[in-house]
């Protein structure tokens, strides 16, 4: 009964929540169909994602101890604990886990290893007779544009924001080369994406690597059974339908203080109610000390700036929330696409620039905040303008992006789409075992 045989996958995502979460979402889809997953994760990060493991009898977390590296603060486990500029230190720690990983893989004897930045796993897997699959949480659009920047017209600040991807730090392999090696040495590539949306980019990557490109479909967040915390549902419930602007830049992004201030001042200027979730900016211990003088008094009752974690999915689905301003991280993009919110993007690093261009120039479902070409600087006026452009009822652009977004949302949520993608993926994986 080869067609119904279950398999065992080791998942080994990069040490960042934006990678761990989509890996776990895919793990849930496999487990839902009876397949077994052993999930490598930094030891103390496990308790942050336990609640996302919906099939604990089939998905087992395998803790890794993040090795000590000079310059890496003790206790660092994921990119949430570290500024982006220090990522080479954590990459080095990732590479040093090989000693722990090899005996584990040997003992587990999985059929497949899904991995992303850990490029050396391909050699280990081949030696042990295991099929390695490069599973990228970077979109096909963003990855294709790494190899061929001509897909988009990047402005100087965007090119600069992407340049670290190709830089070797301390003589160590660059991001681009990690991805390229992973792609070249693995047995197949797998992307979180839909061919209806990103087909030409998948085709391009298939030709670059000359191997099978699998797609998972949208892998949407499971509908959460936890209701939104009362303090937020009560507060949001006090506003009109679709009127609140929600702004969040993910778990890693730290803004410069003056950009942080322009952002909140721009939201204030819109006159709309707003809820902001941001980390304190560079050089500040707390959000409060970084806010413009008297800001909280001025916006009392209609604006909140919050530093702690919030239930983003539930907030985006709250009827009062009508606009989502984000940094264009890949999870935020998927969450925004299946919400009814108008989408505004202010990308900050790496893949976000290409994803943003794809959303605003190709799919035309989002609007960008206007920025200075040389350094990406944005003003409160440009933040306010972008919000008004999508929120004013009379705005033509607002209507256009709403209509385009609606079309894609309907598609992504259409009955059976997600499960047929996963079923197809599983058939292709089983074919590889034959
Ligand atoms: C690993 O996690 C366990 C359980 O959370 C904890 O007791 C232990 O101290 C951790 N080990 C290290 C080296 O962090």
């Amino acid at each position: 009964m080869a067609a119904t045989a279950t398999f065992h996958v080791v998942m080994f995502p990069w040490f960042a929540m934006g990678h761990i979460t989509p890996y776990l979402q895919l793990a849930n889809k496999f487990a839902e169909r009876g397949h077994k997953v052993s999930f490598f994760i930094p030891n103390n990060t496990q308790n942050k994602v336990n609640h996302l493991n919906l099939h604990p009898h089939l998905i087992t977390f395998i803790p890794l101890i993040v090795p000590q590296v000079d310059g890496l603060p003790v206790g660092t486990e994921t990119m949430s604990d570290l500024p982006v500029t220090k990522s080479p230190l954590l990459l080095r720690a990732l590479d040093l886990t090989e000693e722990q990983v090899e005996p584990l893989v040997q003992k587990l004897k999985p059929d497949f290893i899904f991995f992303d930045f850990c490029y050396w796993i391909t050699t280990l897997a081949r030696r042990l007779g295991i099929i390695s699959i490069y599973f990228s949480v970077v979109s096909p659009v963003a990855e294709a544009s790494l190899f061929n920047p001509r897909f988009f017209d990047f402005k100087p600040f965007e090119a600069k924001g992407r340049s670290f991807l190709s830089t070797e730090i301390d003589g160590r392999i660059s991001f681009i080369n990690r991805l390229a090696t992973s792609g070249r040495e693995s047995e197949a590539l797998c992307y979180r994406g839909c061919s209806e949306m990103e087909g030409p980019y998948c085709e391009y990557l298939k030709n670059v690597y000359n191997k099978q490109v699998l797609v998972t479909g949208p892998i949407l967040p499971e509908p959460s059974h936890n209701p939104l915390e009362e303090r937020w549902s009560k507060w949001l419930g006090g506003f009109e339908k679709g009127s609140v602007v929600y702004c969040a830049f993910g778990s890693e992004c730290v803004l410069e203080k003056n950009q942080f201030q322009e952002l909140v001042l721009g939201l204030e200027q819109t006159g709309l109610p707003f809820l902001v979730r941001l980390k304190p900016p560079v050089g500040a211990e707390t959000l409060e000390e970084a806010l413009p003088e008297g800001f909280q008094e001025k916006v009392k009752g209609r604006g909140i700036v919050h530093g702690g974690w919030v239930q983003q999915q539930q907030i985006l689905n709250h009827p009062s929330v009508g606009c989502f301003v984000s940094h264009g991280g890949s999870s935020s993009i998927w969450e925004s696409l299946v919400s009814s919110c108008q989408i505004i993007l202010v990308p900050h690093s790496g893949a976000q620039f290409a994803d943003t261009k794809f959303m605003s120039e190709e799919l035309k479902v989002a609007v960008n905040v206007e920025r200075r070409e040389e350094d990406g600087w944005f003003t409160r006026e440009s933040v306010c303008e972008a919000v008004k452009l999508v929120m004013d009822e009379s705005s033509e652009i607002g209507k256009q992006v709403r209509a385009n977004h609606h079309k894609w949302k309907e598609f992504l949520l259409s009955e059976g789409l997600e499960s047929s993608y996963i079923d197809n993926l599983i058939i292709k994986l089983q074919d590889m075992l034959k």
Side-chain angles (χ1 to χ4, degrees), residues 178-383:
R178 261 175 205 273
L179 301 186
T181 308
S182 300
R184 206 171 49 234
E185 300 295 325
S186 60
E187 313 223 2
L189 314 167
C190 183
Y191 292 90
R192 180 192 194 184
C194 298
S195 38
E196 292 85 348
M197 258 171 126
E198 299 175 86
Y201 299 93
C202 295
E203 196 56 31
Y204 172 82
L205 290 165
K206 184 176 154 217
N207 292 329
V208 166
Y209 289 114
N210 193 23
K211 63 185 65 169
Q212 186 169 208
V213 170
L214 308 167
V215 278
T216 62
I219 339 185
L220 304 172
E222 298 288 330
S224 175
H225 300 297
N226 301 324
L228 178 58
E229 265 184 71
E230 199 185 327
R231 59 170 163 164
W232 302 126
S233 64
K234 229 164 140 179
W235 189 80
L236 290 171
F239 299 102
E240 267 177 54
K241 183 163 182 284
S243 67
V244 179
V245 182
Y246 169 63
C247 170
F249 279 34
S251 58
E252 287 176 21
C253 181
V254 176
L255 292 170
E256 293 293 333
K257 183 168 166 190
N258 47 29
Q259 290 291 268
F260 168 87
Q261 294 199 342
E262 291 299 312
L263 183 60
V264 295
L265 288 166
L267 294 174
E268 186 221 332
Q269 212 170 61
T270 64
L272 294 168
F274 60 90
L275 170 57
V276 175
R277 190 276 156 178
L278 283 176
K279 293 181 89 164
V282 177
E285 288 284 320
T286 65
L287 279 180
E288 288 69 29
E289 71 176 76
L291 286 169
E293 187 120 352
F295 185 79
Q296 277 175 312
E297 286 306 303
K298 212 160 49 165
V299 300
K300 204 164 187 210
R302 78 163 172 103
I304 294 182
V305 184
H306 178 74
W309 184 82
V310 294
Q311 296 155 290
Q312 179 152 299
Q313 193 189 348
Q314 286 93 327
I315 290 176
L316 289 175
N317 289 323
H318 191 286
S320 300
V321 177
C323 179
F324 181 22
V325 182
S326 88
H327 64 319
S330 71
S331 296
S332 296
I333 283 194
W334 285 109
E335 284 171 345
S336 69
L337 277 170
V338 293
S339 79
S340 300
C341 297
Q342 294 282 60
I343 306 167
I344 294 180
L345 298 168
V346 194
H348 268 266
S349 71
Q352 294 155 12
F353 295 109
D355 285 335
T356 293
K357 286 182 182 293
F358 181 66
M359 293 278 283
S360 55
E361 293 168 19
E362 257 186 76
L363 299 184
K364 297 191 168 62
V365 296
V367 161
N368 302 346
V369 168
E370 205 157 297
R371 299 161 79 167
R372 198 157 64 194
E373 297 223 343
E374 14 358 324
D375 57 3
W377 166 263
F378 58 83
T379 62
R380 66 194 76 170
E381 287 78 20
S382 56
V383 172

